[in-house]
Amino acid sequence: MEKGPPPTSTMSVRGEMEKLSVEQLKAVKEQTDLEVNLLQDSLNNIRTATTRLELASSALHDLSLRPSGKKMLVPLTASLYVPGTLQDPDQVLVDVGTGYFIEKNMPQAKDYCHRKINLLKSNFEQLVEVASKKKSISDEAGFVLQAKLKQMAPAAQ
């Protein structure tokens, strides 16, 4: 059983949509579906970035536990590692984007990761709200469109 939209602000949206023609409703539905898909892509990108920052934060923690002079493999790319020696576990380079790196001490680097993670999570929550509203508009346009098409069907016979 399909559930209709919640009876809050969608009632006024439904009233406005019922005034639209079938073609206009189709356009509204297509546009909102496109927007929902773009928002879903953005949500996936934020999820990926958050995961990467959480891995970086974990790596910083692991690195802080290693002693100076420790031999290790240093990643240059996702699949290329070179041997290296840890000189100072308290000083790290932080990738701040577009090829820029900043030298920070360990507490500053951990703080940077946590702030970025919190920012991404906040953005994620806001985008989820927007996507939910767009989805309800799309669903509402679909309901009104179906109702109008059903009304037109008997008239065509």
Side-chain angles (χ1 to χ4, degrees), residues 68-85:
S68 291
K70 174 84 174 162
K71 299 253 186 234
M72 58 192 315
L73 291 175
V74 179
L76 294 182
T77 66
S79 60
L80 178 62
Y81 292 80
V82 295
T85 305

Side-chain angles (χ1 to χ4, degrees), residues 74-155:
V74 179
L76 294 182
T77 66
S79 60
L80 178 62
Y81 292 80
V82 295
T85 305
L86 182 61
Q87 281 186 321
D88 183 2
D90 192 50
Q91 291 297 114
V92 294
L93 290 176
V94 177
D95 182 354
V96 293
T98 63
Y100 289 97
F101 294 84
I102 298 175
E103 187 172 340
K104 293 188 175 281
N105 64 31
M106 192 58 71
Q108 290 172 333
K110 287 179 180 179
D111 180 59
Y112 175 83
C113 284
H114 290 294
R115 284 186 292 118
K116 290 294 263 187
I117 289 168
N118 290 336
L119 176 66
L120 287 172
K121 286 182 178 178
S122 170
N123 289 347
F124 184 85
E125 291 166 6
Q126 291 172 1
L127 275 179
V128 165
E129 277 185 43
V130 172
S132 175
K133 288 177 184 173
K134 290 286 184 183
K135 178 76 171 119
S136 70
I137 291 170
S138 174
D139 291 345
E140 190 62 39
F143 291 135
V144 174
L145 181 60
Q146 282 180 339
K148 282 195 174 213
L149 290 174
K150 282 181 184 176
Q151 285 176 349
M152 291 173 66

Side-chain angles (χ1 to χ4, degrees), residues 47-60:
R47 240 185 253 120
T48 301
T50 302
T51 300
R52 290 182 70 189
L53 277 166
E54 286 169 343
L55 288 170
S57 182
S58 174
L60 284 172

